[in-house]
Coordinates of all heavy atoms in Angstrom, one line a residue:
S143 N 13.9 43.0 -212.6 CA 14.0 42.3 -211.5 C 15.5 42.1 -211.0 O 15.7 41.6 -209.9 CB 13.4 40.9 -211.6 OG 14.1 40.1 -212.5
A144 N 16.5 42.5 -211.8 CA 17.8 42.2 -211.5 C 18.3 43.0 -210.3 O 19.3 42.7 -209.6 CB 18.8 42.5 -212.6
R145 N 17.7 44.1 -209.9 CA 18.1 44.9 -208.8 C 17.2 45.0 -207.6 O 17.3 45.8 -206.7 CB 18.3 46.3 -209.3 CG 19.3 46.5 -210.5 CD 19.5 47.8 -211.0 NE 20.3 47.9 -212.1 CZ 20.5 48.9 -212.9 NH1 19.8 50.0 -212.7 NH2 21.3 48.9 -214.0
A146 N 16.3 44.0 -207.5 CA 15.5 44.0 -206.3 C 15.6 42.7 -205.6 O 15.9 41.6 -206.3 CB 14.0 44.2 -206.7
R147 N 15.4 42.6 -204.3 CA 15.4 41.4 -203.6 C 14.4 41.4 -202.4 O 14.0 42.5 -202.0 CB 16.7 41.0 -202.9 CG 17.2 42.1 -201.9 CD 18.5 41.6 -201.3 NE 18.3 40.5 -200.4 CZ 19.3 39.9 -199.7 NH1 20.5 40.4 -199.8 NH2 19.0 38.9 -198.9
A148 N 13.8 40.3 -202.1 CA 12.8 40.2 -201.1 C 13.5 40.1 -199.7 O 14.6 39.6 -199.5 CB 11.9 39.0 -201.3
L149 N 12.9 40.7 -198.7 CA 13.3 40.5 -197.4 C 12.4 39.6 -196.6 O 11.2 39.6 -196.7 CB 13.2 41.9 -196.6 CG 14.0 43.0 -197.1 CD1 13.7 44.3 -196.2 CD2 15.5 42.7 -197.1
N150 N 13.0 38.6 -196.0 CA 12.3 37.5 -195.3 C 12.0 38.0 -193.8 O 13.0 38.0 -193.0 CB 13.1 36.2 -195.3 CG 12.3 35.1 -194.6 OD1 11.3 35.3 -194.0 ND2 12.8 33.9 -194.8
L151 N 10.8 38.5 -193.6 CA 10.6 39.0 -192.2 C 10.0 38.0 -191.3 O 9.8 38.3 -190.1 CB 9.6 40.2 -192.4 CG 10.0 41.4 -193.2 CD1 9.0 42.4 -193.2 CD2 11.3 42.0 -192.6
T152 N 9.7 36.8 -191.7 CA 9.0 35.9 -190.9 C 9.9 34.7 -190.5 O 9.7 34.1 -189.4 CB 7.8 35.4 -191.5 OG1 8.1 34.8 -192.8 CG2 6.8 36.5 -191.8
S153 N 11.0 34.4 -191.3 CA 11.7 33.2 -191.0 C 13.2 33.4 -190.8 O 14.0 32.5 -191.1 CB 11.4 32.1 -192.1 OG 11.9 32.6 -193.3
R154 N 13.6 34.6 -190.5 CA 15.0 34.9 -190.3 C 15.6 34.1 -189.2 O 14.9 33.8 -188.2 CB 15.3 36.4 -190.1 CG 14.7 36.9 -188.8 CD 15.1 38.4 -188.7 NE 14.6 38.9 -187.3 CZ 13.5 39.5 -187.2 NH1 12.6 39.6 -188.1 NH2 13.1 39.9 -185.9
K155 N 16.9 33.8 -189.3 CA 17.6 33.2 -188.2 C 17.7 34.2 -187.1 O 18.0 35.4 -187.3 CB 19.0 32.8 -188.7 CG 19.0 31.6 -189.7 CD 20.4 31.3 -190.1 CE 20.3 30.1 -191.1 NZ 21.7 29.7 -191.5
R156 N 17.5 33.7 -185.9 CA 17.6 34.6 -184.7 C 19.1 35.1 -184.5 O 20.1 34.4 -184.6 CB 17.2 33.8 -183.4 CG 17.1 34.7 -182.3 CD 16.6 34.0 -181.0 NE 16.4 34.8 -179.9 CZ 15.4 35.6 -179.7 NH1 14.5 35.7 -180.7 NH2 15.3 36.4 -178.7
A157 N 19.2 36.4 -184.3 CA 20.5 37.0 -184.2 C 21.1 36.7 -182.8 O 20.3 36.4 -181.9 CB 20.3 38.6 -184.3
P158 N 22.3 36.8 -182.7 CA 22.9 36.6 -181.2 C 22.3 37.6 -180.4 O 22.0 38.7 -180.7 CB 24.4 36.9 -181.5 CG 24.7 36.6 -183.0 CD 23.3 37.0 -183.7
P159 N 22.0 37.1 -179.1 CA 21.2 37.9 -178.1 C 21.7 39.3 -178.0 O 20.8 40.3 -178.1 CB 21.3 37.1 -176.9 CG 21.6 35.7 -177.3 CD 22.4 35.9 -178.5
K160 N 23.0 39.6 -177.8 CA 23.5 41.0 -177.6 C 23.2 41.9 -178.8 O 22.7 43.0 -178.8 CB 24.9 41.1 -177.2 CG 25.2 40.6 -175.8 CD 26.6 40.8 -175.4 CE 26.9 40.4 -174.0 NZ 28.3 40.6 -173.7
E161 N 23.5 41.3 -180.0 CA 23.3 42.1 -181.3 C 21.8 42.3 -181.4 O 21.4 43.4 -181.9 CB 23.9 41.4 -182.4 CG 23.7 42.1 -183.7 CD 24.5 41.5 -184.9 OE1 25.3 40.5 -184.6 OE2 24.2 41.9 -186.0
H162 N 21.0 41.3 -181.2 CA 19.6 41.4 -181.4 C 19.0 42.5 -180.5 O 18.2 43.3 -180.9 CB 19.0 40.0 -181.1 CG 17.5 39.9 -181.3 ND1 16.9 39.9 -182.6 CD2 16.5 39.9 -180.4 CE1 15.6 39.8 -182.5 NE2 15.3 39.8 -181.1
R163 N 19.4 42.4 -179.3 CA 18.8 43.4 -178.2 C 19.3 44.8 -178.6 O 18.5 45.7 -178.6 CB 19.2 43.1 -176.9 CG 18.5 41.8 -176.3 CD 18.7 41.7 -174.8 NE 20.0 41.7 -174.3 CZ 20.7 40.6 -174.1 NH1 20.1 39.5 -174.3 NH2 22.0 40.7 -173.8
S164 N 20.6 45.0 -178.9 CA 21.0 46.4 -179.2 C 20.5 46.9 -180.4 O 20.2 48.1 -180.6 CB 22.6 46.4 -179.2 OG 23.1 45.5 -180.1
G165 N 20.4 46.0 -181.5 CA 19.8 46.4 -182.7 C 18.3 46.9 -182.5 O 18.0 47.9 -183.1
Q166 N 17.5 46.1 -181.7 CA 16.2 46.5 -181.5 C 16.1 47.8 -180.8 O 15.2 48.6 -181.0 CB 15.4 45.3 -180.8 CG 15.1 44.2 -181.6 CD 14.2 43.2 -181.0 OE1 14.4 43.0 -179.7 NE2 13.3 42.7 -181.7
R167 N 17.0 47.9 -179.7 CA 16.9 49.2 -178.9 C 17.2 50.4 -179.8 O 16.6 51.4 -179.7 CB 17.9 49.0 -177.8 CG 18.0 50.2 -176.9 CD 18.8 50.0 -175.7 NE 18.9 51.2 -174.8 CZ 19.9 52.1 -174.8 NH1 20.9 51.9 -175.7 NH2 19.8 53.1 -174.0
L168 N 18.3 50.3 -180.7 CA 18.7 51.3 -181.6 C 17.4 51.8 -182.5 O 17.1 52.9 -182.6 CB 19.8 50.9 -182.5 CG 20.2 52.0 -183.5 CD1 20.9 53.2 -182.8 CD2 21.3 51.4 -184.5
V169 N 16.7 50.8 -182.9 CA 15.6 51.0 -183.8 C 14.4 51.6 -183.0 O 13.8 52.6 -183.4 CB 15.1 49.7 -184.5 CG1 13.7 49.9 -185.1 CG2 16.1 49.3 -185.5
V170 N 14.0 51.0 -181.9 CA 12.8 51.5 -181.2 C 13.0 52.7 -180.5 O 12.1 53.6 -180.4 CB 12.4 50.3 -180.2 CG1 11.3 50.8 -179.3 CG2 12.0 49.1 -180.9
Q171 N 14.2 53.0 -179.9 CA 14.4 54.1 -179.0 C 15.0 55.3 -179.9 O 14.9 56.5 -179.4 CB 15.3 53.8 -177.9 CG 14.8 52.8 -176.9 CD 15.5 52.7 -175.7 OE1 16.5 53.4 -175.5 NE2 15.2 51.8 -174.8
Y172 N 15.5 55.1 -181.1 CA 16.2 56.2 -181.8 C 15.7 56.2 -183.2 O 15.1 57.3 -183.6 CB 17.7 55.9 -181.7 CG 18.4 57.0 -182.5 CD1 18.4 58.3 -182.0 CD2 19.2 56.7 -183.6 CE1 19.1 59.4 -182.7 CE2 19.8 57.7 -184.3 CZ 19.9 59.0 -183.8 OH 20.6 60.0 -184.6
I173 N 15.9 55.3 -184.0 CA 15.6 55.4 -185.5 C 14.1 55.6 -185.8 O 13.8 56.6 -186.5 CB 16.1 54.2 -186.2 CG1 17.6 54.0 -186.1 CG2 15.6 54.2 -187.7 CD1 18.2 52.8 -186.8
V174 N 13.2 54.8 -185.2 CA 11.9 55.0 -185.4 C 11.3 56.4 -185.0 O 10.6 57.1 -185.7 CB 11.0 53.9 -184.8 CG1 9.5 54.1 -184.8 CG2 11.3 52.6 -185.6

């Protein structure tokens, strides 16, 4: 267990709007 960590997908703090939008766009339109 020393090298694993959980990701909190439900209660993360909301990212600043510009970073949030650009990050989502990068994921949805390119990475995925």
Side-chain angles (χ1 to χ4, degrees):
S143 74
R145 297 180 186 168
R147 63 173 291 180
L149 296 183
N150 184 349
L151 298 180
T152 57
S153 61
R154 66 176 184 269
K155 293 182 179 179
R156 187 173 182 82
K160 285 186 178 180
E161 180 176 347
H162 183 75
R163 288 197 301 269
S164 56
Q166 283 191 322
R167 180 171 179 265
L168 180 68
V169 168
V170 173
Q171 295 189 7
Y172 178 65
I173 294 175
V174 168

